[in-house]
Structures are given as structure tokens and as C-alpha cells.
Amino acid sequence: SICRRGGTSNQVSRPSDPETRMISAVMPAYNAVKHISEAIESLLRQTYRDFELLILDDGSTDGTLRIIQEYARKDPRVHVETQTNQGVSVAANRLTQIARYDWIARLDADDVALPRRLELQMAAVSAHPDVVAWGGAVHHINDAGRVLGLGRCGPTSVEAFQEQRASGDVVCVYHPTALLRRDVVNKAGGYDPNLYVGEDLDLFERMGEYG
């Protein structure tokens, strides 16, 4: 993905629903007119096609809602929600509740997913069904789209995850690459609506109690 700068006693069982191959991609958006088309296009062009795209306009005052609605008219996978401005955590929680499928793919309205993101992540899900959150490396880009560098974070094995948890480190992935088990997001309590910064780190820390 491309991102613009700006095991315990609570272990859960893996989902058994036949629609576990489907994904609910969720995108909160607020005054995102400059980049949201690129973000939406990056999902609609995924090599993996089995997803719905839920976009919530969080009370934008620019043309964001109009752009979202135009994509919804063109592609039946795109669904539009609106609310008065309440912040990204509230918006993401609402989209997670609306989502129909077991896996939540996060992308913000100023980020870009590389074409095989969902394909590769769902292959990983098939190979390691007990993992509750996936992420990937990112290219950091500036406002003009120029690549500034490559970023990596998060453990790359169960053993590394366990070591980080045991040492008290917050286990995280880059939020614009996150693929999350919806049931575990809900068990962990979702995003903290009082947080406008670091809401992803807080959620991942709580999800780590479950897998």
C-alpha cells in the first residue's frame, strides 16, 4: 500500500462462515476531495474482486460526498453513508457495524492500495487462519505522489508477535494496510471514539488480547 504522511486466554476461534472469502473495505472520509478519487480507484482496481466498499462521509464541507455518490452510481460494490462530523473513530466504528463480511480492510481517503493488496492478504488468511490482523509495508508519498521511502512495522511471525507482547511493546501494523477480523474488532470494543490520533494503535493493542 501507499500511505500519505500527514495468543492468550482470550483467544478466539477462526470464522466458519462460507462468506469468509468476502471483504468489507471501509473508508471514512472528511474533506478529502483532493485524493479520494485516487483512493477509491485503487480499491476498485484490485485483482481481488470479492469485496464491498463502504465509504462514510463524515460531514464534509467540500465536494467529497458528490464524488463518493458518483462512484456508487457506477459500481454496485460502492455504498455511501453520511453523518455529521464526529471524527474518524466514530466513522470507522459505524462502518464496521454496517459491514457484512468477516474481514475489514482499512484505507483512508488519502491513501492508495497497490493492485494486489487484497489478493495477497487473503492468500495469507488462507495459509494462517488464526491470525486476527494483517498488514503490509508502505511507500510513504508526499502530496504530489512522489515516493519518499519504504516503511515496515509489525511482527512477521507468531514468535515475534509473542516476544513483542511479552516485552510490553505495542504490536501494530500500518493502518492503511490493515486487514482485520471484524468479530475481533467488535470483541475488542472497536476504535475509541475519544481518540482522534493513535486510534489504530489503541485498537491493535486490545486486539492483541485475542490473537
PDB file of all heavy atoms in Angstrom, residues 111-149:
ATOM      1  N   ASP A 111      -5.099   7.653   0.953  1.00  0.00           N
ATOM      2  CA  ASP A 111      -4.132   6.581   0.761  1.00  0.00           C
ATOM      3  C   ASP A 111      -4.432   5.806  -0.510  1.00  0.00           C
ATOM      4  O   ASP A 111      -5.525   5.913  -1.075  1.00  0.00           O
ATOM      5  CB  ASP A 111      -4.139   5.628   1.966  1.00  0.00           C
ATOM      6  CG  ASP A 111      -3.677   6.318   3.239  1.00  0.00           C
ATOM      7  OD1 ASP A 111      -2.678   7.057   3.174  1.00  0.00           O
ATOM      8  OD2 ASP A 111      -4.322   6.134   4.279  1.00  0.00           O
ATOM      9  N   VAL A 112      -3.468   5.013  -0.953  1.00  0.00           N
ATOM     10  CA  VAL A 112      -3.592   4.263  -2.207  1.00  0.00           C
ATOM     11  C   VAL A 112      -3.189   2.817  -1.944  1.00  0.00           C
ATOM     12  O   VAL A 112      -2.121   2.563  -1.394  1.00  0.00           O
ATOM     13  CB  VAL A 112      -2.664   4.855  -3.301  1.00  0.00           C
ATOM     14  CG1 VAL A 112      -2.847   4.094  -4.615  1.00  0.00           C
ATOM     15  CG2 VAL A 112      -2.930   6.343  -3.496  1.00  0.00           C
ATOM     16  N   ALA A 113      -4.050   1.881  -2.345  1.00  0.00           N
ATOM     17  CA  ALA A 113      -3.724   0.461  -2.210  1.00  0.00           C
ATOM     18  C   ALA A 113      -3.108  -0.038  -3.510  1.00  0.00           C
ATOM     19  O   ALA A 113      -3.659   0.197  -4.592  1.00  0.00           O
ATOM     20  CB  ALA A 113      -4.979  -0.342  -1.886  1.00  0.00           C
ATOM     21  N   LEU A 114      -1.974  -0.720  -3.397  1.00  0.00           N
ATOM     22  CA  LEU A 114      -1.383  -1.336  -4.575  1.00  0.00           C
ATOM     23  C   LEU A 114      -2.297  -2.452  -5.087  1.00  0.00           C
ATOM     24  O   LEU A 114      -3.056  -3.040  -4.318  1.00  0.00           O
ATOM     25  CB  LEU A 114       0.010  -1.857  -4.253  1.00  0.00           C
ATOM     26  CG  LEU A 114       1.045  -0.768  -3.914  1.00  0.00           C
ATOM     27  CD1 LEU A 114       2.374  -1.386  -3.529  1.00  0.00           C
ATOM     28  CD2 LEU A 114       1.233   0.196  -5.071  1.00  0.00           C
ATOM     29  N   PRO A 115      -2.244  -2.777  -6.383  1.00  0.00           N
ATOM     30  CA  PRO A 115      -3.282  -3.611  -7.017  1.00  0.00           C
ATOM     31  C   PRO A 115      -3.486  -4.995  -6.417  1.00  0.00           C
ATOM     32  O   PRO A 115      -4.604  -5.518  -6.435  1.00  0.00           O
ATOM     33  CB  PRO A 115      -2.806  -3.713  -8.473  1.00  0.00           C
ATOM     34  CG  PRO A 115      -1.994  -2.488  -8.689  1.00  0.00           C
ATOM     35  CD  PRO A 115      -1.317  -2.215  -7.383  1.00  0.00           C
ATOM     36  N   ARG A 116      -2.424  -5.602  -5.870  1.00  0.00           N
ATOM     37  CA  ARG A 116      -2.563  -6.973  -5.367  1.00  0.00           C
ATOM     38  C   ARG A 116      -2.708  -7.022  -3.844  1.00  0.00           C
ATOM     39  O   ARG A 116      -2.617  -8.101  -3.250  1.00  0.00           O
ATOM     40  CB  ARG A 116      -1.359  -7.819  -5.790  1.00  0.00           C
ATOM     41  CG  ARG A 116      -1.235  -8.007  -7.286  1.00  0.00           C
ATOM     42  CD  ARG A 116      -0.097  -8.957  -7.627  1.00  0.00           C
ATOM     43  NE  ARG A 116      -0.361 -10.304  -7.121  1.00  0.00           N
ATOM     44  CZ  ARG A 116       0.582 -11.212  -6.855  1.00  0.00           C
ATOM     45  NH1 ARG A 116       1.858 -10.896  -7.008  1.00  0.00           N
ATOM     46  NH2 ARG A 116       0.250 -12.422  -6.412  1.00  0.00           N
ATOM     47  N   ARG A 117      -2.951  -5.887  -3.229  1.00  0.00           N
ATOM     48  CA  ARG A 117      -3.028  -5.877  -1.767  1.00  0.00           C
ATOM     49  C   ARG A 117      -4.003  -6.926  -1.239  1.00  0.00           C
ATOM     50  O   ARG A 117      -3.639  -7.778  -0.425  1.00  0.00           O
ATOM     51  CB  ARG A 117      -3.441  -4.494  -1.258  1.00  0.00           C
ATOM     52  CG  ARG A 117      -3.727  -4.514   0.251  1.00  0.00           C
ATOM     53  CD  ARG A 117      -4.502  -3.328   0.756  1.00  0.00           C
ATOM     54  NE  ARG A 117      -5.009  -3.595   2.096  1.00  0.00           N
ATOM     55  CZ  ARG A 117      -5.666  -2.715   2.832  1.00  0.00           C
ATOM     56  NH1 ARG A 117      -5.895  -1.503   2.367  1.00  0.00           N
ATOM     57  NH2 ARG A 117      -6.102  -3.039   4.027  1.00  0.00           N
ATOM     58  N   LEU A 118      -5.259  -6.881  -1.664  1.00  0.00           N
ATOM     59  CA  LEU A 118      -6.273  -7.776  -1.111  1.00  0.00           C
ATOM     60  C   LEU A 118      -6.012  -9.224  -1.518  1.00  0.00           C
ATOM     61  O   LEU A 118      -6.231 -10.150  -0.722  1.00  0.00           O
ATOM     62  CB  LEU A 118      -7.664  -7.332  -1.550  1.00  0.00           C
ATOM     63  CG  LEU A 118      -8.104  -5.943  -1.088  1.00  0.00           C
ATOM     64  CD1 LEU A 118      -9.531  -5.659  -1.549  1.00  0.00           C
ATOM     65  CD2 LEU A 118      -7.985  -5.787   0.430  1.00  0.00           C
ATOM     66  N   GLU A 119      -5.542  -9.434  -2.721  1.00  0.00           N
ATOM     67  CA  GLU A 119      -5.214 -10.788  -3.177  1.00  0.00           C
ATOM     68  C   GLU A 119      -4.168 -11.434  -2.270  1.00  0.00           C
ATOM     69  O   GLU A 119      -4.326 -12.575  -1.815  1.00  0.00           O
ATOM     70  CB  GLU A 119      -4.707 -10.737  -4.617  1.00  0.00           C
ATOM     71  CG  GLU A 119      -4.213 -12.069  -5.150  1.00  0.00           C
ATOM     72  CD  GLU A 119      -3.448 -11.934  -6.454  1.00  0.00           C
ATOM     73  OE1 GLU A 119      -3.501 -10.860  -7.090  1.00  0.00           O
ATOM     74  OE2 GLU A 119      -2.782 -12.915  -6.833  1.00  0.00           O
ATOM     75  N   LEU A 120      -3.090 -10.713  -2.013  1.00  0.00           N
ATOM     76  CA  LEU A 120      -2.012 -11.256  -1.200  1.00  0.00           C
ATOM     77  C   LEU A 120      -2.442 -11.444   0.254  1.00  0.00           C
ATOM     78  O   LEU A 120      -2.071 -12.428   0.913  1.00  0.00           O
ATOM     79  CB  LEU A 120      -0.792 -10.339  -1.279  1.00  0.00           C
ATOM     80  CG  LEU A 120      -0.128 -10.247  -2.657  1.00  0.00           C
ATOM     81  CD1 LEU A 120       0.941  -9.166  -2.662  1.00  0.00           C
ATOM     82  CD2 LEU A 120       0.463 -11.588  -3.052  1.00  0.00           C
ATOM     83  N   GLN A 121      -3.237 -10.516   0.764  1.00  0.00           N
ATOM     84  CA  GLN A 121      -3.663 -10.635   2.147  1.00  0.00           C
ATOM     85  C   GLN A 121      -4.625 -11.806   2.338  1.00  0.00           C
ATOM     86  O   GLN A 121      -4.546 -12.527   3.335  1.00  0.00           O
ATOM     87  CB  GLN A 121      -4.284  -9.324   2.631  1.00  0.00           C
ATOM     88  CG  GLN A 121      -3.238  -8.229   2.813  1.00  0.00           C
ATOM     89  CD  GLN A 121      -3.792  -6.979   3.467  1.00  0.00           C
ATOM     90  OE1 GLN A 121      -4.867  -6.510   3.115  1.00  0.00           O
ATOM     91  NE2 GLN A 121      -3.044  -6.426   4.410  1.00  0.00           N
ATOM     92  N   MET A 122      -5.523 -12.039   1.385  1.00  0.00           N
ATOM     93  CA  MET A 122      -6.442 -13.159   1.527  1.00  0.00           C
ATOM     94  C   MET A 122      -5.733 -14.489   1.333  1.00  0.00           C
ATOM     95  O   MET A 122      -6.134 -15.507   1.907  1.00  0.00           O
ATOM     96  CB  MET A 122      -7.613 -13.002   0.566  1.00  0.00           C
ATOM     97  CG  MET A 122      -8.562 -11.862   0.938  1.00  0.00           C
ATOM     98  SD  MET A 122      -9.146 -11.918   2.664  1.00  0.00           S
ATOM     99  CE  MET A 122     -10.279 -13.308   2.597  1.00  0.00           C
ATOM    100  N   ALA A 123      -4.665 -14.512   0.550  1.00  0.00           N
ATOM    101  CA  ALA A 123      -3.840 -15.722   0.466  1.00  0.00           C
ATOM    102  C   ALA A 123      -3.193 -16.003   1.819  1.00  0.00           C
ATOM    103  O   ALA A 123      -3.103 -17.158   2.256  1.00  0.00           O
ATOM    104  CB  ALA A 123      -2.781 -15.564  -0.614  1.00  0.00           C
ATOM    105  N   ALA A 124      -2.756 -14.952   2.508  1.00  0.00           N
ATOM    106  CA  ALA A 124      -2.181 -15.109   3.837  1.00  0.00           C
ATOM    107  C   ALA A 124      -3.232 -15.600   4.832  1.00  0.00           C
ATOM    108  O   ALA A 124      -2.950 -16.436   5.687  1.00  0.00           O
ATOM    109  CB  ALA A 124      -1.578 -13.787   4.303  1.00  0.00           C
ATOM    110  N   VAL A 125      -4.450 -15.083   4.717  1.00  0.00           N
ATOM    111  CA  VAL A 125      -5.553 -15.536   5.576  1.00  0.00           C
ATOM    112  C   VAL A 125      -5.773 -17.037   5.405  1.00  0.00           C
ATOM    113  O   VAL A 125      -5.949 -17.779   6.385  1.00  0.00           O
ATOM    114  CB  VAL A 125      -6.840 -14.755   5.251  1.00  0.00           C
ATOM    115  CG1 VAL A 125      -8.057 -15.427   5.881  1.00  0.00           C
ATOM    116  CG2 VAL A 125      -6.729 -13.314   5.722  1.00  0.00           C
ATOM    117  N   SER A 126      -5.757 -17.511   4.164  1.00  0.00           N
ATOM    118  CA  SER A 126      -5.965 -18.937   3.902  1.00  0.00           C
ATOM    119  C   SER A 126      -4.854 -19.787   4.494  1.00  0.00           C
ATOM    120  O   SER A 126      -5.090 -20.878   5.015  1.00  0.00           O
ATOM    121  CB  SER A 126      -6.063 -19.185   2.396  1.00  0.00           C
ATOM    122  OG  SER A 126      -7.208 -18.555   1.853  1.00  0.00           O
ATOM    123  N   ALA A 127      -3.638 -19.266   4.436  1.00  0.00           N
ATOM    124  CA  ALA A 127      -2.490 -20.027   4.927  1.00  0.00           C
ATOM    125  C   ALA A 127      -2.389 -20.005   6.449  1.00  0.00           C
ATOM    126  O   ALA A 127      -1.880 -20.956   7.057  1.00  0.00           O
ATOM    127  CB  ALA A 127      -1.206 -19.481   4.308  1.00  0.00           C
ATOM    128  N   HIS A 128      -2.866 -18.926   7.087  1.00  0.00           N
ATOM    129  CA  HIS A 128      -2.735 -18.756   8.538  1.00  0.00           C
ATOM    130  C   HIS A 128      -4.064 -18.251   9.106  1.00  0.00           C
ATOM    131  O   HIS A 128      -4.183 -17.088   9.510  1.00  0.00           O
ATOM    132  CB  HIS A 128      -1.612 -17.779   8.864  1.00  0.00           C
ATOM    133  CG  HIS A 128      -0.298 -18.153   8.244  1.00  0.00           C
ATOM    134  ND1 HIS A 128       0.543 -19.102   8.786  1.00  0.00           N
ATOM    135  CD2 HIS A 128       0.315 -17.713   7.114  1.00  0.00           C
ATOM    136  CE1 HIS A 128       1.620 -19.229   8.038  1.00  0.00           C
ATOM    137  NE2 HIS A 128       1.509 -18.399   7.012  1.00  0.00           N
ATOM    138  N   PRO A 129      -5.092 -19.116   9.160  1.00  0.00           N
ATOM    139  CA  PRO A 129      -6.447 -18.654   9.507  1.00  0.00           C
ATOM    140  C   PRO A 129      -6.620 -18.176  10.933  1.00  0.00           C
ATOM    141  O   PRO A 129      -7.646 -17.561  11.244  1.00  0.00           O
ATOM    142  CB  PRO A 129      -7.311 -19.891   9.224  1.00  0.00           C
ATOM    143  CG  PRO A 129      -6.367 -21.045   9.311  1.00  0.00           C
ATOM    144  CD  PRO A 129      -5.061 -20.545   8.817  1.00  0.00           C
ATOM    145  N   ASP A 130      -5.654 -18.423  11.827  1.00  0.00           N
ATOM    146  CA  ASP A 130      -5.812 -17.991  13.214  1.00  0.00           C
ATOM    147  C   ASP A 130      -5.335 -16.558  13.460  1.00  0.00           C
ATOM    148  O   ASP A 130      -5.556 -16.019  14.540  1.00  0.00           O
ATOM    149  CB  ASP A 130      -5.058 -18.946  14.148  1.00  0.00           C
ATOM    150  CG  ASP A 130      -5.687 -20.336  14.160  1.00  0.00           C
ATOM    151  OD1 ASP A 130      -6.922 -20.422  14.003  1.00  0.00           O
ATOM    152  OD2 ASP A 130      -4.946 -21.324  14.317  1.00  0.00           O
ATOM    153  N   VAL A 131      -4.674 -15.951  12.493  1.00  0.00           N
ATOM    154  CA  VAL A 131      -4.205 -14.578  12.647  1.00  0.00           C
ATOM    155  C   VAL A 131      -5.408 -13.624  12.576  1.00  0.00           C
ATOM    156  O   VAL A 131      -6.286 -13.788  11.725  1.00  0.00           O
ATOM    157  CB  VAL A 131      -3.166 -14.231  11.565  1.00  0.00           C
ATOM    158  CG1 VAL A 131      -2.769 -12.760  11.645  1.00  0.00           C
ATOM    159  CG2 VAL A 131      -1.927 -15.116  11.717  1.00  0.00           C
ATOM    160  N   VAL A 132      -5.454 -12.629  13.458  1.00  0.00           N
ATOM    161  CA  VAL A 132      -6.627 -11.756  13.537  1.00  0.00           C
ATOM    162  C   VAL A 132      -6.403 -10.386  12.912  1.00  0.00           C
ATOM    163  O   VAL A 132      -7.365  -9.619  12.746  1.00  0.00           O
ATOM    164  CB  VAL A 132      -7.107 -11.594  14.997  1.00  0.00           C
ATOM    165  CG1 VAL A 132      -7.405 -12.950  15.614  1.00  0.00           C
ATOM    166  CG2 VAL A 132      -6.085 -10.834  15.835  1.00  0.00           C
ATOM    167  N   ALA A 133      -5.153 -10.046  12.571  1.00  0.00           N
ATOM    168  CA  ALA A 133      -4.878  -8.750  11.947  1.00  0.00           C
ATOM    169  C   ALA A 133      -3.659  -8.881  11.048  1.00  0.00           C
ATOM    170  O   ALA A 133      -2.628  -9.419  11.469  1.00  0.00           O
ATOM    171  CB  ALA A 133      -4.634  -7.669  13.002  1.00  0.00           C
ATOM    172  N   TRP A 134      -3.800  -8.395   9.834  1.00  0.00           N
ATOM    173  CA  TRP A 134      -2.712  -8.426   8.857  1.00  0.00           C
ATOM    174  C   TRP A 134      -2.351  -7.003   8.450  1.00  0.00           C
ATOM    175  O   TRP A 134      -3.186  -6.105   8.473  1.00  0.00           O
ATOM    176  CB  TRP A 134      -3.134  -9.202   7.609  1.00  0.00           C
ATOM    177  CG  TRP A 134      -3.294 -10.670   7.827  1.00  0.00           C
ATOM    178  CD1 TRP A 134      -4.459 -11.335   8.141  1.00  0.00           C
ATOM    179  CD2 TRP A 134      -2.276 -11.663   7.775  1.00  0.00           C
ATOM    180  NE1 TRP A 134      -4.213 -12.676   8.292  1.00  0.00           N
ATOM    181  CE2 TRP A 134      -2.886 -12.911   8.065  1.00  0.00           C
ATOM    182  CE3 TRP A 134      -0.901 -11.621   7.517  1.00  0.00           C
ATOM    183  CZ2 TRP A 134      -2.163 -14.106   8.102  1.00  0.00           C
ATOM    184  CZ3 TRP A 134      -0.186 -12.813   7.538  1.00  0.00           C
ATOM    185  CH2 TRP A 134      -0.814 -14.040   7.834  1.00  0.00           C
ATOM    186  N   GLY A 135      -1.107  -6.824   8.030  1.00  0.00           N
ATOM    187  CA  GLY A 135      -0.683  -5.537   7.496  1.00  0.00           C
ATOM    188  C   GLY A 135       0.408  -5.745   6.470  1.00  0.00           C
ATOM    189  O   GLY A 135       0.779  -6.881   6.160  1.00  0.00           O
ATOM    190  N   GLY A 136       0.934  -4.667   5.935  1.00  0.00           N
ATOM    191  CA  GLY A 136       1.996  -4.755   4.949  1.00  0.00           C
ATOM    192  C   GLY A 136       2.909  -3.549   5.008  1.00  0.00           C
ATOM    193  O   GLY A 136       2.671  -2.606   5.766  1.00  0.00           O
ATOM    194  N   ALA A 137       3.942  -3.605   4.196  1.00  0.00           N
ATOM    195  CA  ALA A 137       4.834  -2.455   4.065  1.00  0.00           C
ATOM    196  C   ALA A 137       4.128  -1.336   3.309  1.00  0.00           C
ATOM    197  O   ALA A 137       3.114  -1.554   2.642  1.00  0.00           O
ATOM    198  CB  ALA A 137       6.111  -2.860   3.335  1.00  0.00           C
ATOM    199  N   VAL A 138       4.660  -0.130   3.416  1.00  0.00           N
ATOM    200  CA  VAL A 138       4.079   1.018   2.709  1.00  0.00           C
ATOM    201  C   VAL A 138       5.172   1.823   2.028  1.00  0.00           C
ATOM    202  O   VAL A 138       6.319   1.858   2.470  1.00  0.00           O
ATOM    203  CB  VAL A 138       3.302   1.968   3.658  1.00  0.00           C
ATOM    204  CG1 VAL A 138       2.136   1.264   4.320  1.00  0.00           C
ATOM    205  CG2 VAL A 138       4.215   2.592   4.698  1.00  0.00           C
ATOM    206  N   HIS A 139       4.799   2.448   0.932  1.00  0.00           N
ATOM    207  CA  HIS A 139       5.585   3.524   0.361  1.00  0.00           C
ATOM    208  C   HIS A 139       5.028   4.825   0.929  1.00  0.00           C
ATOM    209  O   HIS A 139       3.858   5.144   0.697  1.00  0.00           O
ATOM    210  CB  HIS A 139       5.470   3.558  -1.166  1.00  0.00           C
ATOM    211  CG  HIS A 139       6.053   2.368  -1.852  1.00  0.00           C
ATOM    212  ND1 HIS A 139       7.404   2.095  -1.864  1.00  0.00           N
ATOM    213  CD2 HIS A 139       5.461   1.379  -2.563  1.00  0.00           C
ATOM    214  CE1 HIS A 139       7.621   0.996  -2.547  1.00  0.00           C
ATOM    215  NE2 HIS A 139       6.467   0.525  -2.982  1.00  0.00           N
ATOM    216  N   HIS A 140       5.824   5.574   1.659  1.00  0.00           N
ATOM    217  CA  HIS A 140       5.414   6.907   2.087  1.00  0.00           C
ATOM    218  C   HIS A 140       5.519   7.831   0.881  1.00  0.00           C
ATOM    219  O   HIS A 140       6.536   7.839   0.176  1.00  0.00           O
ATOM    220  CB  HIS A 140       6.317   7.425   3.211  1.00  0.00           C
ATOM    221  CG  HIS A 140       6.195   6.648   4.481  1.00  0.00           C
ATOM    222  ND1 HIS A 140       5.063   6.666   5.252  1.00  0.00           N
ATOM    223  CD2 HIS A 140       7.074   5.811   5.109  1.00  0.00           C
ATOM    224  CE1 HIS A 140       5.236   5.889   6.310  1.00  0.00           C
ATOM    225  NE2 HIS A 140       6.444   5.354   6.243  1.00  0.00           N
ATOM    226  N   ILE A 141       4.472   8.594   0.618  1.00  0.00           N
ATOM    227  CA  ILE A 141       4.474   9.517  -0.513  1.00  0.00           C
ATOM    228  C   ILE A 141       4.077  10.911  -0.036  1.00  0.00           C
ATOM    229  O   ILE A 141       3.439  11.065   1.000  1.00  0.00           O
ATOM    230  CB  ILE A 141       3.516   9.060  -1.638  1.00  0.00           C
ATOM    231  CG1 ILE A 141       2.070   8.995  -1.134  1.00  0.00           C
ATOM    232  CG2 ILE A 141       3.950   7.719  -2.207  1.00  0.00           C
ATOM    233  CD1 ILE A 141       1.053   8.678  -2.226  1.00  0.00           C
ATOM    234  N   ASN A 142       4.485  11.905  -0.815  1.00  0.00           N
ATOM    235  CA  ASN A 142       4.087  13.269  -0.463  1.00  0.00           C
ATOM    236  C   ASN A 142       2.782  13.631  -1.164  1.00  0.00           C
ATOM    237  O   ASN A 142       2.155  12.794  -1.824  1.00  0.00           O
ATOM    238  CB  ASN A 142       5.206  14.269  -0.773  1.00  0.00           C
ATOM    239  CG  ASN A 142       5.516  14.363  -2.263  1.00  0.00           C
ATOM    240  OD1 ASN A 142       4.765  13.877  -3.118  1.00  0.00           O
ATOM    241  ND2 ASN A 142       6.633  15.001  -2.591  1.00  0.00           N
ATOM    242  N   ASP A 143       2.378  14.871  -1.033  1.00  0.00           N
ATOM    243  CA  ASP A 143       1.086  15.301  -1.559  1.00  0.00           C
ATOM    244  C   ASP A 143       1.004  15.173  -3.076  1.00  0.00           C
ATOM    245  O   ASP A 143      -0.076  14.993  -3.639  1.00  0.00           O
ATOM    246  CB  ASP A 143       0.820  16.750  -1.143  1.00  0.00           C
ATOM    247  CG  ASP A 143      -0.652  17.107  -1.232  1.00  0.00           C
ATOM    248  OD1 ASP A 143      -1.472  16.341  -0.690  1.00  0.00           O
ATOM    249  OD2 ASP A 143      -0.978  18.138  -1.844  1.00  0.00           O
ATOM    250  N   ALA A 144       2.145  15.210  -3.725  1.00  0.00           N
ATOM    251  CA  ALA A 144       2.182  15.090  -5.184  1.00  0.00           C
ATOM    252  C   ALA A 144       2.331  13.648  -5.646  1.00  0.00           C
ATOM    253  O   ALA A 144       2.351  13.380  -6.850  1.00  0.00           O
ATOM    254  CB  ALA A 144       3.329  15.927  -5.747  1.00  0.00           C
ATOM    255  N   GLY A 145       2.446  12.714  -4.710  1.00  0.00           N
ATOM    256  CA  GLY A 145       2.562  11.314  -5.060  1.00  0.00           C
ATOM    257  C   GLY A 145       3.979  10.809  -5.203  1.00  0.00           C
ATOM    258  O   GLY A 145       4.189   9.652  -5.577  1.00  0.00           O
ATOM    259  N   ARG A 146       4.978  11.648  -4.911  1.00  0.00           N
ATOM    260  CA  ARG A 146       6.369  11.208  -5.028  1.00  0.00           C
ATOM    261  C   ARG A 146       6.738  10.325  -3.843  1.00  0.00           C
ATOM    262  O   ARG A 146       6.451  10.640  -2.692  1.00  0.00           O
ATOM    263  CB  ARG A 146       7.315  12.413  -5.070  1.00  0.00           C
ATOM    264  CG  ARG A 146       8.789  12.034  -5.280  1.00  0.00           C
ATOM    265  CD  ARG A 146       9.658  13.261  -5.545  1.00  0.00           C
ATOM    266  NE  ARG A 146       9.710  14.153  -4.394  1.00  0.00           N
ATOM    267  CZ  ARG A 146      10.567  14.005  -3.378  1.00  0.00           C
ATOM    268  NH1 ARG A 146      11.433  13.003  -3.385  1.00  0.00           N
ATOM    269  NH2 ARG A 146      10.570  14.861  -2.375  1.00  0.00           N
ATOM    270  N   VAL A 147       7.372   9.180  -4.135  1.00  0.00           N
ATOM    271  CA  VAL A 147       7.749   8.237  -3.089  1.00  0.00           C
ATOM    272  C   VAL A 147       8.888   8.810  -2.261  1.00  0.00           C
ATOM    273  O   VAL A 147       9.927   9.221  -2.784  1.00  0.00           O
ATOM    274  CB  VAL A 147       8.152   6.885  -3.697  1.00  0.00           C
ATOM    275  CG1 VAL A 147       8.676   5.949  -2.611  1.00  0.00           C
ATOM    276  CG2 VAL A 147       6.966   6.247  -4.420  1.00  0.00           C
ATOM    277  N   LEU A 148       8.689   8.829  -0.938  1.00  0.00           N
ATOM    278  CA  LEU A 148       9.690   9.352  -0.009  1.00  0.00           C
ATOM    279  C   LEU A 148      10.506   8.248   0.653  1.00  0.00           C
ATOM    280  O   LEU A 148      11.626   8.495   1.113  1.00  0.00           O
ATOM    281  CB  LEU A 148       9.009  10.183   1.075  1.00  0.00           C
ATOM    282  CG  LEU A 148       8.131  11.341   0.588  1.00  0.00           C
ATOM    283  CD1 LEU A 148       7.457  12.012   1.767  1.00  0.00           C
ATOM    284  CD2 LEU A 148       8.945  12.336  -0.222  1.00  0.00           C
ATOM    285  N   GLY A 149       9.951   7.053   0.720  1.00  0.00           N
ATOM    286  CA  GLY A 149      10.675   5.968   1.357  1.00  0.00           C
ATOM    287  C   GLY A 149       9.766   4.785   1.618  1.00  0.00           C
ATOM    288  O   GLY A 149       8.542   4.861   1.442  1.00  0.00           O
TER     289      GLY A 149
END
